[in-house]
Amino acid sequence: MDRENSSTNNNSRIRELISRLDTEHRLSLSEYEEVLKNRTEEDEKFAQELAVKWRKKIYGNGVYTRGLIEFTNYCKNNCHYCGIQSSNHEVERYRLTKEDILSCCEEGYRLGFRTFVLQGGEDPYFTDERMVDIIKSIRKNYPDCAITISIGERTKESYKAFFDAGADRYLLRHETADREHYNILHPKELSFDKRRECLGYLKEIGYQVGCGFMVGSPGQTYHTLAEDLYFIQEFQPEMCGIGPFIPQHSTIFADKKQGELSETLFLLSLLRLIKPNLLIPSTTALGTIHPRGREMGIDAGANVVMPNLSPVSVRKKYALYDNKICTGDESAQCRSCLNQRMSSIGYELVTNRGDIKK
Ligand code: 5AD
Ligand code: FES
């Protein structure tokens, strides 16, 4: 077979797999790997068009927003990729008080947010009791808002206590669905099985659950990425957050390559095809590697943005990776910035809880 022919055949095979994903919303592990390995730019475009078709059908031109409150950068863990790991002594640590958090919510509500995401490192100061108190106060003051928690691994009892206090959603990225790759990204104290167990608890309790992974993290291969997609297909989360890996200068991955824009966008499109109603954020990390990254993410099939609502005074301290956007004075009003960005591509931010459409 001559070269041209072989590439045409290859191309139609990948298109066939993407079309099957579009109609059946599932592929085998090896088919995912094949798609990732052999795709061309045209295949990416093809997947993008199908993804946008689904997103428009289910969510129209509306983009959901969440007000992100990064309320503590203390963390007991040492994930190798992460800038706020406990062994990084360059980091100036902070915690917001309950009053600080409530004033973020107040400001956020005024701006049009109807979901608050409380995100933080694994900080032992925030005991179940303290978290429950904060969640109950937000629930009481904002009965029409969704509360999302993202503070890592806890016991099943803790997750249940937060849920009973009024939390609706929980974000816990699985980070990678490959055990060996997990052990490349994390120190030995952290366990792949434990992570999976936590995700299972969250689902069991009744949360809307978000998982996710980084694109282009050290040691990632097409095979491990295929495992991520297959895991998502089986786990059926309500949300999935992905963004490029971006090296942070004081971690052991400081010299590693950052994740690619086009690969991240292609994966966003595939996620939309795997689960057409999935809540998919166009992440800050994507906006960090390209000035229009978040717009491109929406154009690839994402339907959520999570602007920063944290006080500007602490934003630079929540540096998971280098050059993170929205940390300077000029970004005090991320919501209106994102509003403009979304309308520039024909979308609009909506003011509602932004629940998954069934
Ligand atoms: N680059 C990109 N994303 C990162 N995260 C942590 N460190 C980095 C990094 N260096 C992601 C992880 C984590 C989420 C909060 O941020 O996936 O779960
Ligand atoms: Fe934060 Fe634009 S979204 S400054």
Side-chain angles (χ1 to χ4, degrees), residues 214-266:
M214 293 175 289
V215 179
S217 63
Q220 186 173 71
T221 63
Y222 288 132
H223 182 72
T224 64
L225 271 179
E227 289 183 301
D228 286 318
L229 296 178
Y230 192 78
F231 168 69
I232 289 155
Q233 165 183 306
E234 298 304 302
F235 183 65
Q236 292 286 313
E238 278 73 27
M239 301 161 284
C240 184
I242 70 168
F245 160 75
I246 304 172
Q248 204 278 353
H249 64 274
S250 44
T251 66
I252 60 168
F253 291 157
D255 299 325
K256 301 290 183 192
K257 204 169 120 274
Q258 81 179 20
E260 277 175 23
L261 178 68
S262 61
E263 185 146 276
T264 309
L265 297 174
F266 183 53

Side-chain angles (χ1 to χ4, degrees), residues 294 326 331 334 337-338 341:
R294 286 167 301 174
C326 300
S331 59
C334 284
C337 172
L338 271 170
R341 287 171 179 272

